[in-house]
DNA sequence: CCTCCGTACTCATCGATGTGAATAGTCAGA
DNA sequence: TCTGACTATTCACATCGATGAGTACGGAGG
């Protein structure tokens, strides 16, 4: 049950509404976890029932009233407990990998298309993440920021996202090169 | 529902029993998917009902009778259909990442321990995967094998596993260096 | 005026995944 | 001889995560 703790971690820096959280956890930004709005609203409700976050209603003039949440002391304690417990190892779990495993027995055209898309997606996320890092460290160098910055957690997870997406991009490019060359060779025979 | 297709892809090369599949999908080897024995037995039952695999009983002298499964033509067609459909993007989903996000608000000792373990785990998997690649390509060079080998899918997914674990290892080491330096600086103040 | 987009949230359901326990025989080592 | 590990599989349950639909309001653009 890490969604719970991902939400707590996301609320450490600032109060957020379910809607804002949902944007932070969606496709574009999620650098350390991913979840859909419905899951987040449900989790926030449970967290509040358990006293780990508190919400307050904020009426707005033109927009519907929103509910901002912040972490309680109990929430912080729970997060600390979670951080100290052993992590289960993370596994690669990716449809595309399954398809590539079967590459010799299925049509390669669609695979090439999907690998191209995936590589483009990885490049887009890399750009986004690198922009994010620049924003976080401001005018300091990375070394300087990581040594003395007061909030480095999000920076480190963003580095994780970059490492992951770089891997993604490189692997896609490698596989593309192989499949395309094999396709060219096969076509000639 | 990719477990279904992961099982089909795993059965492409050779007949396997549920038990053998379970070993292939467990911690050590799973280079393209991970699943527990119970899921696999359940999935095999469903796959057989749907006519995508067929099983045959193989009595053994000293061991209990096992049931070996192979992919049917319908299974192959289903796999092809799956490979041609769009993949949902894969997301990083890792407890440890959540913990690092909260690094500035929780005890760092346990984090350092977990990062060390994770890095060691990644190194172990890298060794394993590199051994696997050598076995698959035999005495050919990688380029030669990938150009002309007849079954490169598993090799390519294994390369994916290597890329992923290399990223894991590098990121863990980077984060370790940062957290340890900050701990040392903090202790001095 | 009408439609679409953005904010803000809820409900319901399904399939995927994880956990725990049970059975039952063989083999190797202390 | 007892213990634990390995082969081989099944059942039941709980929780997690994904998907689709639905509500309600306001503002922008054609």
């Amino acid at each position: 049950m890490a969604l719970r703790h991902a939400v707590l971690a996301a609320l450490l820096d600032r109060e957020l509404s379910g809607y804002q959280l949902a944007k932070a956890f969606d496709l574009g930004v999620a650098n350390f976890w991913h979840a859909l709005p419905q899951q987040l609203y449900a989790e926030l409700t449970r967290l509040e029932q358990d006293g780990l976050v508190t919400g307050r209603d904020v009426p707005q003039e033109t927009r519907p009233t929103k509910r901002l949440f912040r972490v309680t002391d109990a929430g912080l304690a729970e997060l600390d407990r979670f951080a100290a417990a052993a992590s289960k190892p993370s596994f690669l779990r990716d449809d595309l990998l399954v398809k590539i495993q079967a590459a010799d027995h299925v049509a390669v055209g669609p695979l090439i298309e999907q690998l191209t898309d995936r590589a483009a997606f990885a490049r887009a996320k890399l750009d986004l993440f690198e922009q994010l890092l620049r924003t976080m460290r401001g005018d300091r160098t990375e070394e300087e920021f990581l040594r003395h910055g007061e909030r480095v957690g999000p920076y480190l997870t963003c580095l994780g996202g970059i490492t992951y997406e770089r891997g993604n991009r490189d692997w896609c490019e490698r596989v593309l090169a192989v499949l395309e060359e094999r396709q060219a060779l096969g076509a000639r025979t």
Side-chain angles (χ1 to χ4, degrees), chain A:
Chain A
M1 48 160 73
L3 172 57
R4 200 175 179 70
H5 302 100
V7 170
L8 289 174
L11 292 175
L12 284 174
D13 295 301
R14 56 209 176 293
E15 276 190 322
L16 289 173
S17 68
Y19 188 77
Q20 289 173 296
L21 261 182
K23 301 204 88 175
F25 277 77
D26 99 334
L27 290 175
V29 199
N31 46 344
F32 74 102
W33 200 264
H34 170 254
L36 299 165
Q38 300 93 312
Q39 297 174 257
L40 294 168
Y41 286 114
E43 199 58 56
L44 283 170
T45 307
R46 258 168 287 165
L47 281 167
E48 193 172 22
Q49 269 164 18
D50 298 345
L52 305 184
V53 304
T54 42
R56 59 185 185 94
D57 284 321
V58 178
Q60 296 173 107
E61 284 150 37
T62 72
R63 304 259 155 241
T65 296
K66 64 182 168 183
R67 215 169 147 65
L68 292 183
F69 294 90
R70 62 181 183 76
V71 181
T72 63
D73 290 344
L76 212 62
E78 168 60 20
L79 199 52
D80 190 61
R81 200 199 52 66
F82 169 73
S87 314
K88 29 191 133 176
S90 82
F91 295 107
L92 212 43
R93 196 187 277 295
D94 187 343
D95 282 13
L96 191 49
L97 222 36
V98 175
K99 296 175 187 181
I100 297 301
Q101 173 82 14
D104 308 291
H105 295 268
V106 300
V108 290
L111 294 182
I112 287 176
E113 225 176 289
Q114 290 175 64
L115 285 162
T116 308
D117 291 351
R118 181 64 65 91
F121 185 70
R123 272 189 287 269
K125 286 198 100 171
L126 277 173
D127 286 347
L128 196 92
F129 287 162
E130 264 151 20
Q131 184 53 51
L132 230 157
L133 289 185
R134 275 194 293 275
T135 305
M136 281 193 271
R137 70 171 176 258
D139 50 8
R140 284 165 290 189
T141 66
E142 180 162 299
E143 282 311 313
E144 167 63 13
F145 174 75
L146 286 175
R147 236 192 301 269
H148 305 296
E150 41 188 55
R151 185 83 176 96
V152 297
Y155 197 97
L156 293 170
T157 55
C158 194
L159 281 179
I162 285 186
T163 307
Y164 178 70
E165 294 300 345
R166 251 206 280 269
N168 247 321
R169 181 200 57 191
D170 293 349
W171 178 72
C172 286
E173 283 169 359
R174 179 82 174 107
V175 176
L176 270 171
V178 170
L179 292 187
E180 276 165 352
E181 187 177 5
R182 288 172 67 90
Q183 208 178 31
L185 284 172
R188 225 176 288 146
T189 4

